[in-house]
PDB file of all heavy atoms in Angstrom:
ATOM      1  N   LEU A 160      63.992 -24.149 -38.537  1.00 98.00           N
ATOM      2  CA  LEU A 160      63.113 -23.017 -38.271  1.00 98.00           C
ATOM      3  C   LEU A 160      61.728 -23.531 -37.915  1.00 98.00           C
ATOM      4  O   LEU A 160      61.141 -24.317 -38.662  1.00 98.00           O
ATOM      5  CB  LEU A 160      63.036 -22.120 -39.511  1.00 98.00           C
ATOM      6  CG  LEU A 160      61.940 -21.059 -39.554  1.00 98.00           C
ATOM      7  CD1 LEU A 160      62.170 -20.008 -38.464  1.00 98.00           C
ATOM      8  CD2 LEU A 160      61.897 -20.392 -40.929  1.00 98.00           C
ATOM      9  N   ILE A 161      61.200 -23.065 -36.769  1.00 98.00           N
ATOM     10  CA  ILE A 161      59.893 -23.495 -36.294  1.00 98.00           C
ATOM     11  C   ILE A 161      59.007 -22.282 -36.053  1.00 98.00           C
ATOM     12  O   ILE A 161      59.416 -21.337 -35.366  1.00 98.00           O
ATOM     13  CB  ILE A 161      60.020 -24.316 -34.992  1.00 98.00           C
ATOM     14  CG1 ILE A 161      60.694 -25.662 -35.286  1.00 98.00           C
ATOM     15  CG2 ILE A 161      58.657 -24.527 -34.329  1.00 98.00           C
ATOM     16  CD1 ILE A 161      61.096 -26.432 -34.056  1.00 98.00           C
ATOM     17  N   HIS A 162      57.799 -22.304 -36.617  1.00 98.00           N
ATOM     18  CA  HIS A 162      56.757 -21.335 -36.304  1.00 98.00           C
ATOM     19  C   HIS A 162      55.658 -22.083 -35.565  1.00 98.00           C
ATOM     20  O   HIS A 162      54.980 -22.947 -36.132  1.00 98.00           O
ATOM     21  CB  HIS A 162      56.221 -20.681 -37.575  1.00 98.00           C
ATOM     22  CG  HIS A 162      57.098 -19.593 -38.112  1.00 98.00           C
ATOM     23  ND1 HIS A 162      57.111 -18.323 -37.571  1.00 98.00           N
ATOM     24  CD2 HIS A 162      58.005 -19.581 -39.116  1.00 98.00           C
ATOM     25  CE1 HIS A 162      57.979 -17.562 -38.233  1.00 98.00           C
ATOM     26  NE2 HIS A 162      58.542 -18.314 -39.175  1.00 98.00           N
ATOM     27  N   THR A 163      55.469 -21.743 -34.291  1.00 98.00           N
ATOM     28  CA  THR A 163      54.622 -22.562 -33.431  1.00 98.00           C
ATOM     29  C   THR A 163      53.148 -22.524 -33.829  1.00 98.00           C
ATOM     30  O   THR A 163      52.388 -23.439 -33.489  1.00 98.00           O
ATOM     31  CB  THR A 163      54.755 -22.129 -31.966  1.00 98.00           C
ATOM     32  OG1 THR A 163      54.351 -20.749 -31.826  1.00 98.00           O
ATOM     33  CG2 THR A 163      56.201 -22.267 -31.494  1.00 98.00           C
ATOM     34  N   GLY A 164      52.732 -21.486 -34.541  1.00 98.00           N
ATOM     35  CA  GLY A 164      51.346 -21.416 -34.976  1.00 98.00           C
ATOM     36  C   GLY A 164      50.979 -22.439 -36.023  1.00 98.00           C
ATOM     37  O   GLY A 164      49.788 -22.700 -36.267  1.00 98.00           O
ATOM     38  N   ARG A 165      51.969 -23.043 -36.670  1.00 98.00           N
ATOM     39  CA  ARG A 165      51.722 -24.058 -37.689  1.00 98.00           C
ATOM     40  C   ARG A 165      51.710 -25.468 -37.085  1.00 98.00           C
ATOM     41  O   ARG A 165      51.248 -26.420 -37.723  1.00 98.00           O
ATOM     42  CB  ARG A 165      52.795 -23.966 -38.776  1.00 98.00           C
ATOM     43  CG  ARG A 165      52.626 -24.921 -39.959  1.00 98.00           C
ATOM     44  CD  ARG A 165      51.305 -24.757 -40.677  1.00 98.00           C
ATOM     45  NE  ARG A 165      51.086 -23.398 -41.156  1.00 98.00           N
ATOM     46  CZ  ARG A 165      51.516 -22.931 -42.331  1.00 98.00           C
ATOM     47  NH1 ARG A 165      52.181 -23.712 -43.157  1.00 98.00           N
ATOM     48  NH2 ARG A 165      51.268 -21.677 -42.685  1.00 98.00           N
ATOM     49  N   THR A 166      52.180 -25.590 -35.857  1.00 98.00           N
ATOM     50  CA  THR A 166      52.376 -26.915 -35.264  1.00 98.00           C
ATOM     51  C   THR A 166      51.078 -27.709 -35.152  1.00 98.00           C
ATOM     52  O   THR A 166      51.059 -28.912 -35.431  1.00 98.00           O
ATOM     53  CB  THR A 166      53.037 -26.782 -33.878  1.00 98.00           C
ATOM     54  OG1 THR A 166      54.303 -26.123 -34.022  1.00 98.00           O
ATOM     55  CG2 THR A 166      53.238 -28.139 -33.229  1.00 98.00           C
ATOM     56  N   GLN A 167      49.985 -27.054 -34.749  1.00 97.00           N
ATOM     57  CA  GLN A 167      48.736 -27.776 -34.547  1.00 97.00           C
ATOM     58  C   GLN A 167      48.253 -28.434 -35.836  1.00 97.00           C
ATOM     59  O   GLN A 167      47.754 -29.560 -35.821  1.00 97.00           O
ATOM     60  CB  GLN A 167      47.656 -26.841 -33.993  1.00 97.00           C
ATOM     61  CG  GLN A 167      46.375 -27.563 -33.587  1.00 97.00           C
ATOM     62  CD  GLN A 167      46.602 -28.656 -32.554  1.00 97.00           C
ATOM     63  OE1 GLN A 167      47.420 -28.501 -31.637  1.00 97.00           O
ATOM     64  NE2 GLN A 167      45.895 -29.769 -32.687  1.00 97.00           N
ATOM     65  N   GLU A 168      48.397 -27.742 -36.959  1.00 98.00           N
ATOM     66  CA  GLU A 168      48.006 -28.336 -38.241  1.00 98.00           C
ATOM     67  C   GLU A 168      48.824 -29.587 -38.526  1.00 98.00           C
ATOM     68  O   GLU A 168      48.283 -30.614 -38.968  1.00 98.00           O
ATOM     69  CB  GLU A 168      48.194 -27.325 -39.371  1.00 98.00           C
ATOM     70  CG  GLU A 168      47.825 -27.879 -40.737  1.00 98.00           C
ATOM     71  CD  GLU A 168      48.086 -26.900 -41.872  1.00 98.00           C
ATOM     72  OE1 GLU A 168      48.483 -25.755 -41.597  1.00 98.00           O
ATOM     73  OE2 GLU A 168      47.901 -27.303 -43.043  1.00 98.00           O
ATOM     74  N   TYR A 169      50.131 -29.506 -38.281  1.00 98.00           N
ATOM     75  CA  TYR A 169      50.982 -30.678 -38.501  1.00 98.00           C
ATOM     76  C   TYR A 169      50.579 -31.829 -37.582  1.00 98.00           C
ATOM     77  O   TYR A 169      50.561 -32.998 -38.000  1.00 98.00           O
ATOM     78  CB  TYR A 169      52.445 -30.317 -38.255  1.00 98.00           C
ATOM     79  CG  TYR A 169      53.046 -29.352 -39.257  1.00 98.00           C
ATOM     80  CD1 TYR A 169      54.132 -28.549 -38.896  1.00 98.00           C
ATOM     81  CD2 TYR A 169      52.565 -29.236 -40.554  1.00 98.00           C
ATOM     82  CE1 TYR A 169      54.713 -27.677 -39.805  1.00 98.00           C
ATOM     83  CE2 TYR A 169      53.131 -28.362 -41.469  1.00 98.00           C
ATOM     84  CZ  TYR A 169      54.223 -27.581 -41.079  1.00 98.00           C
ATOM     85  OH  TYR A 169      54.791 -26.710 -41.978  1.00 98.00           O
ATOM     86  N   LEU A 170      50.246 -31.501 -36.335  1.00 97.00           N
ATOM     87  CA  LEU A 170      49.828 -32.543 -35.392  1.00 97.00           C
ATOM     88  C   LEU A 170      48.515 -33.181 -35.810  1.00 97.00           C
ATOM     89  O   LEU A 170      48.350 -34.401 -35.712  1.00 97.00           O
ATOM     90  CB  LEU A 170      49.700 -31.947 -33.988  1.00 97.00           C
ATOM     91  CG  LEU A 170      50.999 -31.640 -33.250  1.00 97.00           C
ATOM     92  CD1 LEU A 170      50.710 -30.853 -31.982  1.00 97.00           C
ATOM     93  CD2 LEU A 170      51.773 -32.914 -32.931  1.00 97.00           C
ATOM     94  N   GLU A 171      47.578 -32.375 -36.263  1.00 97.00           N
ATOM     95  CA  GLU A 171      46.277 -32.908 -36.676  1.00 97.00           C
ATOM     96  C   GLU A 171      46.400 -33.882 -37.839  1.00 97.00           C
ATOM     97  O   GLU A 171      45.633 -34.842 -37.944  1.00 97.00           O
ATOM     98  CB  GLU A 171      45.347 -31.751 -37.049  1.00 97.00           C
ATOM     99  CG  GLU A 171      44.876 -30.946 -35.842  1.00 97.00           C
ATOM    100  CD  GLU A 171      44.084 -29.720 -36.236  1.00 97.00           C
ATOM    101  OE1 GLU A 171      43.933 -29.479 -37.461  1.00 97.00           O
ATOM    102  OE2 GLU A 171      43.609 -28.998 -35.332  1.00 97.00           O
ATOM    103  N   HIS A 172      47.388 -33.638 -38.708  1.00 97.00           N
ATOM    104  CA  HIS A 172      47.606 -34.531 -39.852  1.00 97.00           C
ATOM    105  C   HIS A 172      48.670 -35.588 -39.560  1.00 97.00           C
ATOM    106  O   HIS A 172      49.040 -36.359 -40.453  1.00 97.00           O
ATOM    107  CB  HIS A 172      48.012 -33.710 -41.082  1.00 97.00           C
ATOM    108  CG  HIS A 172      46.899 -32.884 -41.643  1.00 97.00           C
ATOM    109  ND1 HIS A 172      46.600 -31.622 -41.188  1.00 97.00           N
ATOM    110  CD2 HIS A 172      45.990 -33.152 -42.624  1.00 97.00           C
ATOM    111  CE1 HIS A 172      45.578 -31.137 -41.872  1.00 97.00           C
ATOM    112  NE2 HIS A 172      45.181 -32.048 -42.736  1.00 97.00           N
TER     113      HIS A 172
END
Side-chain angles (χ1 to χ4, degrees):
L160 167 65
I161 291 169
H162 281 281
T163 60
R165 183 58 57 87
T166 301
Q167 187 57 38
E168 179 183 356
Y169 292 155
L170 286 171
E171 288 174 358
H172 290 86

